[in-house]
Amino acid sequence: DAGVTQSPTHLIKTRGQHVTLRCSPISGHKSVSWYQQVLGQGPQFIFQYYEKEERGRGNFPDRFSARQFPNYSSELNVNALLLGDSALYLCASSSLTFTYEQYFGPGTRLTVT
Amino acid sequence: GENVEQHPSTLSVQEGDSAVIKCTYSDSASNYFPWYKQELGKRPQLIIDIRSNVGEKKDQRIAVTLNKTAKHFSLHITETQPEDSAVYFCARTGSNNAGNMLTFGGGTRLMVKP
């Protein structure tokens, strides 16, 4: 799990702005999932990508989008930010091929003012 | 649906006592049940997991039990230590979705008093 990296660590944005969050999975893992964790709650699933294709999408508006690159890193984009988008955004890495285990990165703390 | 209910929301125990956290789920297609520990300001850390074809799994002071008929699973921590203090999340995933999307419970704040 120490191999999952995310950037930036913290981010402050204004309502209406756009944000891009980045994630690099554990070496050898081909799947990346994104989760939103609001303070005091469990993580909520946003997207999963495997081999650069979307494999799952959670109940989030179209303002949220993501993609996965050939090196298996991933970006999460959020447009037209709302105050309610303030949260910890977690990236999880999984090999998916042989196992269900998901390992989380340190997260990006997004604050929307 | 795919909801996961977790209880209790807070749990305070004396050092050396046992702690039990319980979760129930609704989707009968669920087949993998991990538990995560999250310390303040840190990432969720996978501490133990169980697959649907197994009823119990142990790893030192931690154990997880699964009752598929009743659709509930539990985390047991024995001989608790102050460093066990954290928020614990149960989760599930199943074959009803491509990939392995996790649905999490609401979390249990465990406090171990020295």
Side-chain angles (χ1 to χ4, degrees):
Chain A
D1 60 352
V4 182
T5 60
Q6 290 187 244
S7 63
T9 306
H10 296 90
L11 205 51
I12 299 175
K13 290 286 189 177
T14 305
R15 276 178 298 176
Q17 286 188 315
H18 162 270
V19 68
T20 298
L21 310 180
R22 294 178 175 85
C23 170
S24 291
I26 293 170
S27 178
H29 283 189
K30 298 181 179 180
S31 176
V32 169
S33 299
W34 288 95
Y35 292 83
Q36 181 196 65
Q37 186 176 27
V38 173
L39 197 61
Q41 297 181 18
Q44 295 277 323
F45 173 76
I46 310 175
F47 285 110
Q48 182 176 52
Y49 277 79
Y50 176 68
E51 288 279 18
K52 302 179 290 295
E53 292 190 1
E54 183 182 300
R55 293 289 296 271
R57 173 185 286 254
N59 188 24
F60 280 80
D62 291 343
R63 299 185 295 108
F64 288 76
S65 64
R67 56 179 174 167
Q68 186 176 32
F69 299 99
N71 66 353
Y72 304 112
S73 67
S74 177
E75 280 184 355
L76 175 69
N77 295 283
V78 187
N79 292 322
L81 285 167
L82 303 173
L83 294 178
D85 294 331
S86 295
L88 180 68
Y89 287 85
L90 294 161
C91 169
S93 169
S94 173
S95 69
L96 198 60
T97 306
F98 304 110
T99 179
Y100 282 124
E101 286 91 343
Q102 292 191 38
Y103 299 96
F104 284 92
T108 294
R109 172 73 61 189
L110 173 65
T111 302
V112 182
T113 63
Chain B
E2 302 169 348
N3 290 338
V4 178
E5 298 288 332
Q6 182 171 346
H7 299 281
S9 56
T10 60
L11 179 59
S12 181
V13 300
Q14 208 65 41
E15 182 178 359
D17 288 350
S18 294
V20 180
I21 303 170
K22 299 181 180 180
C23 290
T24 59
Y25 60 96
S26 54
D27 187 352
S28 57
S30 302
N31 58 7
Y32 172 69
F33 306 88
W35 286 87
Y36 287 86
K37 174 184 179 183
Q38 188 173 31
E39 296 177 71
L40 190 63
K42 302 211 173 158
R43 73 187 78 189
Q45 179 186 2
L46 178 65
I47 57 172
I48 195 167
D49 56 13
I50 191 168
R51 304 251 180 148
S52 58
N53 58 348
V54 175
E56 183 176 1
K57 183 177 179 181
K58 284 185 180 180
D59 183 3
Q60 298 183 337
R61 297 187 295 109
I62 298 173
V64 57
T65 58
L66 170 65
N67 183 328
K68 282 210 74 177
T69 304
K71 295 183 187 173
H72 66 72
F73 56 114
S74 300
L75 177 71
H76 305 253
I77 305 175
T78 59
E79 301 173 24
T80 53
Q81 301 168 3
E83 52 264 38
D84 294 331
S85 296
V87 179
Y88 290 82
F89 292 98
C90 64
R92 49 72 60 196
T93 190
S95 56
N96 55 327
N97 289 303
N100 56 349
M101 175 194 92
L102 290 172
T103 304
F104 284 83
T108 297
R109 182 172 299 279
L110 174 65
M111 293 169 284
V112 180
K113 294 182 280 187

